Each structure stands twice: as structure tokens, then as C-alpha cells.
Amino acid sequence: RDRCVWMQGENMFKVIETAGHDKPWWFLEDWEKMIVSTEEFDKIEDALCSYQALYLKFENSYPEKREKGSCCVAFWNTVETDYCVPCECDLQIFHGIMIVDENNQLVDLKGEKRG
């Protein structure tokens, strides 16, 4: 079983669900406004179970997906858009799931931090 080799001592992991015009790993200004839900866990295994449950739910609902690392994914359906007034056009809506650490850095099961 993969285990984060960099995890030592007490850590907190968050499974964050997002919905918005940006893919979740971009962390653009005000990215927190895209958060739909957050769950906190002490163990990576518990966070992974939650992540995988959401992953399966979205995979069954959205035909398109793109993954970044092992713990971040965006799902979408090309017909789900939202009109952007400043852009004067429709923008794609992305549904994201990610696992981050206590510093809001993306977690990768190989021990690599991304963000």
C-alpha cells in the first residue's frame, strides 16, 4: 500500500470539493469561493476513502475528466456552462476534488507536494 513517506508526526488532510470556472489545482485568487464542501481527516487513508467515494460519484455523472497528480481531479460536462459578464461569454463549469495538507498544498501519494 502506498504511504506518504514525508508524513511524520501529526498531520491534517482535507478533502475539498470545488465547483467553478477554474480547475481546482490552479489556486487562483479567491479560489476558496469555489469550495462546495470540505472534510478534515487525521489519516491519509481516511482522506483517500472520502476522495475515492467522491471520485466515483463524479465519474458516473461527468464524462470528461483531467487529473493532476494522484489526489486532484476535475470533472466536467461540456454543456454545463455559466455566463461570465466581464468575459461576455459562457465559461465551462468544473467540478473538482482534491486532497490537501494543513498548508493547502496538494498531496501526492509518492511523497511529492504540489501546489
Side-chain angles (χ1 to χ4, degrees), residues 6 10-14 100-105 107 113:
W6 52 270
E10 295 297 316
N11 288 301
M12 183 201 41
F13 301 95
K14 294 185 279 188
V100 298
D101 64 15
E102 62 274 2
N103 298 315
N104 284 334
Q105 295 295 305
V107 171
K113 293 185 189 180

Side-chain angles (χ1 to χ4, degrees), residues 57-72:
K57 174 185 152 189
F58 285 142
E59 192 171 48
N60 290 327
S61 301
Y62 297 97
E64 306 292 332
K65 76 176 174 190
R66 181 165 176 214
E67 298 182 66
K68 181 173 175 100
S70 57
C71 295
C72 190

Side-chain angles (χ1 to χ4, degrees), residues 47-86:
L48 281 169
C49 286
S50 175
Y51 177 87
Q52 290 167 347
L54 283 170
Y55 189 103
L56 289 173
K57 174 185 152 189
F58 285 142
E59 192 171 48
N60 290 327
S61 301
Y62 297 97
E64 306 292 332
K65 76 176 174 190
R66 181 165 176 214
E67 298 182 66
K68 181 173 175 100
S70 57
C71 295
C72 190
V73 62
F75 291 93
W76 68 95
N77 180 332
T78 56
V79 297
E80 186 180 8
T81 60
D82 186 39
Y83 187 75
C84 172
V85 174

Side-chain angles (χ1 to χ4, degrees):
R1 177 191 281 222
D2 283 337
R3 178 101 170 119
C4 296
V5 295
W6 52 270
M7 288 189 295
Q8 301 292 326
E10 295 297 316
N11 288 301
M12 183 201 41
F13 301 95
K14 294 185 279 188
V15 176
I16 299 176
E17 177 186 344
T18 62
H21 297 143
D22 304 315
K23 292 180 179 137
W25 53 82
W26 288 349
F27 292 103
L28 298 176
E29 186 176 335
D30 296 331
W31 73 271
E32 292 93 347
K33 291 179 180 178
M34 292 191 337
I35 295 175
V36 173
S37 69
T38 302
E39 291 183 277
E40 294 183 3
F41 303 92
D42 293 326
K43 296 180 181 178
I44 189 65
E45 292 87 359
D46 296 335
L48 281 169
C49 286
S50 175
Y51 177 87
Q52 290 167 347
L54 283 170
Y55 189 103
L56 289 173
K57 174 185 152 189
F58 285 142
E59 192 171 48
N60 290 327
S61 301
Y62 297 97
E64 306 292 332
K65 76 176 174 190
R66 181 165 176 214
E67 298 182 66
K68 181 173 175 100
S70 57
C71 295
C72 190
V73 62
F75 291 93
W76 68 95
N77 180 332
T78 56
V79 297
E80 186 180 8
T81 60
D82 186 39
Y83 187 75
C84 172
V85 174
C87 307
E88 297 183 355
C89 65
D90 289 329
L91 296 178
Q92 183 65 57
I93 299 294
F94 297 99
H95 298 272
I97 314 165
M98 60 184 157
I99 300 178
V100 298
D101 64 15
E102 62 274 2
N103 298 315
N104 284 334
Q105 295 295 305
L106 291 176
V107 171
D108 191 340
L109 294 181
K110 305 252 186 290
E112 178 181 326
K113 293 185 189 180
R114 300 173 182 240

